[in-house]
Amino acid sequence: VCYCDHCKAAFQEWLNETITDWTQFYPGGSRYNEYLEWRTLPVTQLVKDIHDLVKSINPNILISEAAWSLFDDTPVYWRKFKGQDTAKWIAEGYIDFVAPMMYAKSVTDVEEMINANLKYWMGGSPEGPIPLVAFLRNDWDDADLSPDQLKAQIDLVRSKGLDGWIIWRYGGPGVDGDFPDITNYLSII
C-alpha cells in the first residue's frame, strides 16, 4: 500500500476530508479498511483504461488477467491487500478471461483453488461469465513437478470443466534458463 503524496492527495479527495493524522489509515489503524477500499479504485481505473484503449484499437484482442488465485477461506484477501478486484473486472467486462495463478504442488491444493475461483468469480459453475483458465506451475526451486504430477493437475482442470490451462515456466530447445524441458511434459499430456 502506497502512502506517497500523490496517493494521499487522491485518497483525501475521494474521502472528501483533509487528513491531519495519517496513523489511523496505516496498517492496524482504526480507519485502515477505508484506505484499503480506496486502494482498489486506482488499480481498477488502470484496468478499465487499458481495456478501453486496447478495445478502441482492436475490439477482437482478448484481455486476460493472471490473477492471484482465491482460497476458500480468504476470498477477499487479494482485493483488500493487493487492490486486485477481479470480481468487479469480470462484472464490468474489463477482462475477457481470467487465469488464476494456481501455483501448488499438490492436486488437493489446486482443487481448493479451482473450487474457490469457481465459487466466487464464476457463480459456482465453470460456465461462468468469462472463461476460467488455470495457470499452473511446474518449476520449483526445491523440486520441479514431474510430468506425471503436472498431468494429474491438468486432468483435474479438465474434470472441473475449466476452459484450459497455462504452464508457467518451462525450458527445452531454444529456451535459456534452468527450467524443466517442456517436451517431457507435452508428451505425457
Side-chain angles (χ1 to χ4, degrees), residues 17 45-46 68 79 85 126 151-152 159 162:
E17 182 179 324
Q45 185 62 50
L46 175 64
W68 293 96
R79 180 183 186 280
D85 199 352
K151 181 182 182 304
S159 74
L162 275 62

Side-chain angles (χ1 to χ4, degrees), residues 121-142:
W121 289 341
M122 300 295 127
S125 165
E127 298 304 319
I130 63 174
L132 178 64
V133 177
F135 206 154
L136 304 173
R137 180 176 182 168
N138 70 334
D139 82 306
W140 297 87
D141 291 336
D142 57 345

Side-chain angles (χ1 to χ4, degrees), residues 48-61 63 96:
K48 180 188 182 311
D49 290 348
I50 291 169
H51 168 271
D52 293 351
L53 176 64
V54 168
K55 295 296 184 171
S56 75
I57 295 167
N58 183 343
N60 296 316
I61 291 176
I63 300 172
D96 298 303

Side-chain angles (χ1 to χ4, degrees), residues 18 23 31-32 37 50 76 79 102 104 126 153 173 175 182 185:
T18 301
T23 60
R31 297 181 71 187
Y32 182 52
E37 181 64 27
I50 291 169
V76 298
R79 180 183 186 280
M102 300 183 192
Q153 291 184 5
V175 177
I182 194 65
Y185 294 86

Side-chain angles (χ1 to χ4, degrees), residues 53-94:
L53 176 64
V54 168
K55 295 296 184 171
S56 75
I57 295 167
N58 183 343
N60 296 316
I61 291 176
L62 296 179
I63 300 172
S64 68
E65 175 197 3
W68 293 96
S69 187
L70 294 177
F71 304 96
D72 197 44
D73 60 345
T74 58
V76 298
Y77 177 83
W78 302 118
R79 180 183 186 280
K80 186 172 182 177
F81 295 106
K82 300 286 187 192
Q84 172 190 294
D85 199 352
T86 302
K88 181 172 182 69
W89 305 342
I90 291 169
E92 296 293 331
Y94 299 154

